[in-house]
Amino acid sequence: MSEELVEAVSHDESAFAAEVGRVRASGTLGEGGRLLELFDFLASRGANKPSASQSEIAEMVFGQTEAGADDATVRVYIHRLRKRLDEFYTAKGDAPDGSRLTLPSGTYALRLVRPEGEPEAEETAQNSRRRGNLIIGLVALAALAAAFLAGWAVPWRDEAPPANALWQPFIDSPRPKLIVVGDYYMFGEIDSVSPERGRLIRDFRVNSPSDLIQMQDLEPERYGSAEDVGLNYLPFSVAYGISGIAPVLAGGGSQVSVIAASELEPDMLNYFDVVYVGLFSGMALLEDVNFMDSGFQMGESYDEVLDKASGKTFTSGEARSLASPAYYSDFGYIARFRTPSGALVAIVAGARDTGLRGVAPIVAGPSLPGELDKLARKGDFEALFQITGQQGADLAEKLIAARPRGD
């Protein structure tokens, strides 16, 4: 091997190691867990080694030694790692020489790519479009968080809005606060022959990239042309909730962060107090966390809420009546409880947008309505409101049920 080639290889390894260290030190991948272990495993292989196999990753990272190990686990975590790397470079920028670590599509290996070099073989116009959509989604979420946290929380730090009985335990808690917004996953169908015929799809059976992978395996004839485009959307009503809640939480002097419900992982409840703002259908894993010890449960659809105590089902009329001037009923839900891990959790949710907009000012006010205030001061509780709406406007609210959690 010539001296020039040895020097080039050495430089590549050095630059690769430096960028690995920069990503790791940023905390983007967390302080521990499988995602960080996957990154470390791939990084330990070096800059120019062949792609690892699924079975190799399954055994070395996830301890799956059986021949029938679940390949979907590897694919899902590879997708998450690729997404976190995109997030890192969106927030931190490329290395000084313009290089960045990538996980090329179709390979399980970290590569250091420079702008003057050839793009990786697996990179296509379709992948570029996917990355662009992902960045748009991240920027939109970041802008939403910045607007509320930077725009309102900072000026009110010395003059914080009063915290009612729902939020006082959060203010007193030493844990950082995590506002979780109910988001919805969308995937694309791309026609390679006629790209203009491509479309974005919201499928209630597909709520994450891992769901899409599973459906492609189960129903290839229906989902064969589907592609993860890194795009999620938020209901507009979420803004109404965050605008009142975020300043109260930030006014307590605690660190407040905002993430999408699709990004919430179970171990986050070990470190954060969590506040969910969104629709019932966007709760993701918080749906199980909340309703396992609730006096309510979802009906046959997310438009229906069943009160276990009375046996009554309350059904939102927004979807059927939104376009007409007729009055209709929607429903908003409030809860606060503590998980076995010690996390405080608050849920501010609506069956539809009208319900969420209706309960948002109630929870953000300086005091809760009388019966709710008493419950909130005693401990865990939950409540259901009927919100009268007309063409999306919330006109009036009525408390239907309020009780301690577990009753």
Side-chain angles (χ1 to χ4, degrees):
M1 183 181 292
S2 69
E3 291 183 4
E4 292 82 0
L5 184 55
V6 170
E7 183 178 349
V9 172
S10 176
H11 174 74
D12 283 348
E13 291 289 351
S14 176
F16 179 84
E19 200 59 9
V20 165
R22 192 166 78 99
V23 172
R24 207 180 193 287
S26 72
T28 300
L29 305 178
E31 299 298 325
R34 297 296 194 190
L35 197 63
L36 185 59
E37 291 174 11
L38 174 60
F39 176 79
D40 287 344
F41 170 74
L42 296 176
S44 69
R45 294 170 59 84
N48 301 299
K49 295 294 175 62
S51 172
S53 66
Q54 284 190 354
S55 59
E56 187 177 4
I57 295 174
E59 179 178 355
M60 300 301 294
V61 178
F62 300 98
Q64 297 176 345
T65 58
E66 298 179 5
D70 183 13
D71 287 344
T73 301
V74 175
R75 295 196 300 271
V76 167
Y77 272 85
I78 286 288
H79 171 83
R80 289 181 181 175
L81 180 54
R82 185 179 290 118
K83 187 173 182 180
R84 292 291 179 88
L85 288 174
D86 282 339
E87 292 175 12
F88 170 79
Y89 287 108
T90 299
K92 304 294 185 181
D94 295 342
D97 65 353
S99 63
R100 60 167 57 193
L101 290 174
T102 67
L103 265 171
S105 299
T107 66
Y108 298 144
L110 287 171
R111 298 288 187 241
L112 189 68
V113 176
R114 292 184 176 84
E116 68 272 19
E118 291 295 322
E120 62 267 28
E122 296 84 0
E123 182 68 27
T124 63
Q126 201 172 77
N127 290 335
S128 297
R129 183 167 54 249
R130 174 188 176 278
R131 180 177 292 114
N133 286 334
L134 172 60
I135 292 173
I136 290 170
L138 291 171
V139 168
L141 185 58
L144 178 67
F148 292 120
L149 299 184
W152 279 305
V154 174
W156 288 351
R157 186 165 294 169
D158 295 329
E159 240 176 86
N164 61 44
L166 169 62
W167 305 118
Q168 194 57 52
F170 286 86
I171 301 300
D172 296 337
S173 172
R175 289 190 178 203
K177 313 300 181 278
L178 194 61
I179 296 178
V180 177
V181 293
D183 66 322
Y184 297 89
Y185 176 73
M186 300 182 75
F187 61 89
E189 279 190 353
I190 309 299
D191 188 327
S192 58
V193 177
S194 303
E196 69 277 4
R197 295 181 180 177
R199 58 179 181 164
L200 291 173
I201 297 174
R202 166 61 184 154
D203 186 326
F204 280 101
R205 294 196 296 169
V206 182
N207 296 303
S208 67
S210 58
D211 285 351
L212 182 59
I213 291 171
Q214 183 179 33
M215 295 309 295
Q216 287 174 325
D217 290 340
L218 294 175
E219 300 182 30
E221 68 287 350
R222 179 173 178 179
Y223 295 94
S225 60
E227 179 183 350
D228 173 33
V229 293
L231 186 62
N232 291 53
Y233 73 91
L234 297 174
F236 190 70
S237 58
V238 169
Y240 288 86
I242 297 181
S243 65
I245 295 169
V248 176
L249 294 176
S254 297
Q255 173 190 341
V256 181
S257 303
V258 180
I259 67 167
S262 61
E263 294 295 317
L264 183 67
E265 298 179 1
D267 64 349
M268 292 180 181
L269 293 172
N270 293 324
Y271 311 106
F272 293 91
D273 290 330
V274 172
V275 177
Y276 174 78
V277 181
L279 305 185
F280 287 132
S281 54
M283 292 177 70
L285 73 85
L286 284 176
E287 180 180 344
D288 290 336
V289 172
N290 179 71
F291 288 107
M292 70 173 60
D293 191 32
S294 170
F296 299 93
Q297 68 181 45
M298 290 292 91
E300 294 183 359
S301 75
Y302 287 107
D303 283 336
E304 298 180 356
V305 183
L306 172 66
D307 183 351
K308 297 177 184 177
S310 66
K312 293 181 179 179
T313 298
F314 302 95
T315 304
S316 170
E318 180 181 295
R320 296 188 300 274
S321 305
L322 190 62
S324 77
Y327 296 114
Y328 59 84
S329 293
D330 197 13
F331 298 91
Y333 174 81
I334 304 168
R336 189 192 67 211
F337 56 94
R338 194 176 292 275
T339 68
S341 66
L344 271 172
V345 177
I347 305 293
V348 181
R352 293 274 181 160
D353 283 328
T354 305
L356 180 54
R357 284 200 300 270
V359 296
I362 295 174
V363 299
S367 61
L368 296 172
E371 185 177 354
L372 265 188
D373 182 72
K374 293 178 182 178
L375 283 171
R377 292 179 186 279
K378 290 181 180 179
D380 297 352
F381 75 99
E382 60 185 349
L384 184 69
F385 282 84
Q386 176 180 305
I387 309 297
T388 300
Q390 183 184 42
Q391 293 185 324
D394 51 295
L395 305 179
E397 68 280 341
K398 175 185 177 182
L399 182 61
I400 294 177
R403 61 176 73 100
R405 289 274 297 194
D407 285 13

